[in-house]
Amino acid sequence: MIAFHSPLHQRHAPEFEFFRGERVPCFETPARAELVRAELVSRGHELRAPTHDCTDVLRLVHAEPYLAFLESAWAQWVGLDPRNEGRQPFPSVWPVRTLRSDVEPDDFVARLGLYSMDNGTPLAAGTWDAAKAAADAAASAAACVAAGTRAVFCATRPPGHHAGADFMGGYCFLNHAAVAAQALRISGAERVAILDVDYHHGNGTQSLFYRRSDVLFVSLHGDPRTEYPFYLGAADETGEGPGQGFNLNLPLPAGTGGGAWLAALETACARVAHHRASALIVSLGLDTRAGDPISKFTLARDDFARMGARLARLSLPTIFVLEGGYATADLGAHACDVLDAFEQG
Ligand code: OKP
Ligand code: ZN
């Protein structure tokens, strides 16, 4: 399978995040994409640098003020104090209900809060470069599929599915799956489906397409009553206005194993098939594996090949976009098991 990858991902390398009240080393590391890249090469997949600039599509997915903030955020931070080069900024105040979110404050950290959903998404010097390269990969994958390629993988990071029109969150900055979907729509696909199999609900992707019937969003994820992102992902979120009926959430309890997960995948695939899409985008989170350090499903190694084989039976041109997966040593194997089974299916 063709896999888009850019070494620019390495420029996004924050050192720590907050976890259970402590500063801990980041779970979302450059090593993740490097290990996936190495496994792709060893299994004979074709690596390609992104071929397309996503800028025009990006403007349709994200709000202009957010893009302007994100692109210059590190320069703004270091501009406050040159010693900030060695420090990570974190938001500390958010415009929740009753506070105003229509004015950009002059204070940098207040602006960071305005454009963030959590304090778990550390910025680094090269965050923009890495996220932009991943979005370029998504646009390139869309061009490939529009030109007739059956399946493409975006071996990119940071992930994207928590990022919304004007906010970052959950290690995500730009929504690459949404960029791929929007790029496919522009290149003539009338209907597109996004299937999100990451452990965490793709709140950003859901919100971007919630009022649209052209892009179906279906997600299997840990029940948000107990799992991040907590405030979106329930089964009663079915779409709004023209998008009514075009959002399907299948929350599953923590502890769910391969059998129940694959049964839910069946429901998800039936809904995708019913959409009669001309292409599928899979937000491929691999954090559903037993032992993932921040997730609570218990899929086994073999379940990833089963997933790939089931997705192949949809018989749709498919773009796989890497999202989460933090049991880093096995990440390449899990990704390639899905892709190889898909290609053999
Ligand atoms: C991103 B993706 C606390 C750890 C949990 C949020 C999880 C983000 C998951 N700092 N942080 O969907 O895999
Ligand atoms: Zn996840």
Side-chain angles (χ1 to χ4, degrees):
M1 194 178 292
I2 294 165
F4 284 102
H5 174 87
S6 163
L8 290 173
H9 81 83
Q10 296 172 20
R11 295 192 190 176
H12 176 63
E15 282 175 47
F16 64 86
E17 64 177 82
F18 294 106
F19 188 59
R20 297 180 184 139
E22 310 274 340
R23 274 172 55 143
V24 303
C26 287
F27 290 98
E28 202 291 291
T29 59
R32 296 177 63 247
E34 288 305 302
L35 287 161
V36 170
R37 185 181 58 77
E39 187 70 16
L40 287 164
V41 170
S42 86
R43 295 207 203 176
H45 295 286
E46 181 193 337
L47 285 179
R48 283 194 196 169
T51 50
H52 284 62
D53 183 331
C54 68
T55 302
D56 292 347
V57 189
L58 211 48
R59 288 208 182 96
L60 299 173
V61 171
H62 293 286
E64 198 60 53
Y66 173 63
L67 291 172
F69 172 76
L70 191 61
E71 184 163 12
S72 65
W74 191 261
Q76 294 179 45
W77 172 239
V78 174
L80 292 173
D81 180 343
R83 288 170 299 180
N84 283 352
E85 192 64 62
R87 297 175 180 147
Q88 285 179 216
F90 283 96
S92 56
V93 189
W94 290 266
V96 297
R97 295 154 302 282
T98 77
L99 301 182
R100 284 182 67 171
S101 54
D102 61 327
V103 189
E104 270 198 359
D106 292 338
D107 182 88
F108 173 78
V109 172
R111 257 196 318 282
L112 187 56
L114 176 64
Y115 292 122
S116 301
M117 64 178 272
D118 62 16
N119 79 335
T121 309
L123 273 170
T127 298
W128 171 263
D129 295 345
K132 171 66 164 55
D136 285 345
S140 307
C144 231
V145 160
T149 304
R150 163 113 205 272
V152 188
F153 177 45
C154 293
T156 49
R157 61 168 287 278
H161 71 153
H162 297 300
D166 62 358
F167 61 87
M168 62 187 86
Y171 314 150
C172 302
F173 302 89
L174 298 175
N175 196 311
H176 317 126
V179 166
Q182 189 59 43
L184 284 170
R185 288 284 294 111
I186 292 168
S187 64
E190 276 191 34
R191 285 178 302 279
V192 174
I194 302 177
L195 174 59
D196 190 323
V197 298
D198 188 280
Y199 179 77
H200 305 93
H201 176 252
N203 62 283
T205 315
Q206 170 171 313
S207 67
L208 285 163
F209 298 109
Y210 206 59
R211 297 184 56 81
R212 286 170 59 167
S213 60
D214 56 337
V215 180
L216 170 73
F217 179 72
V218 179
S219 179
L220 292 185
H221 51 269
D223 192 324
R225 290 184 194 212
T226 59
E227 306 309 302
Y228 186 91
F230 304 114
Y231 311 110
L232 211 66
D236 66 354
E237 297 154 17
T238 55
E240 225 168 60
Q244 181 58 243
F246 293 88
N247 193 91
L248 176 63
N249 283 329
L250 299 167
L252 299 163
T256 293
W261 192 90
L262 287 162
L265 181 65
E266 207 52 52
T267 306
C269 286
R271 180 66 189 91
V272 168
H274 185 70
H275 190 53
R276 293 181 300 114
S278 47
L280 171 68
I281 293 149
V282 179
S283 264
L284 186 61
L286 302 160
D287 43 10
T288 45
R289 175 74 200 264
D292 187 278
I294 65 167
S295 311
K296 296 172 196 154
F297 286 166
T298 59
L299 270 63
R301 171 80 192 258
D302 293 350
D303 293 325
F304 292 89
R306 292 190 184 104
M307 181 196 314
R310 180 61 188 91
L311 296 177
R313 287 208 287 122
L314 288 166
S315 301
L316 288 170
T318 301
I319 297 173
F320 293 92
V321 180
L322 182 63
E323 302 281 2
Y326 308 98
T328 303
D330 293 330
L331 205 59
H334 293 148
C336 290
D337 284 358
V338 174
L339 304 179
D340 289 344
F342 183 92
E343 280 192 316
Q344 287 151 23

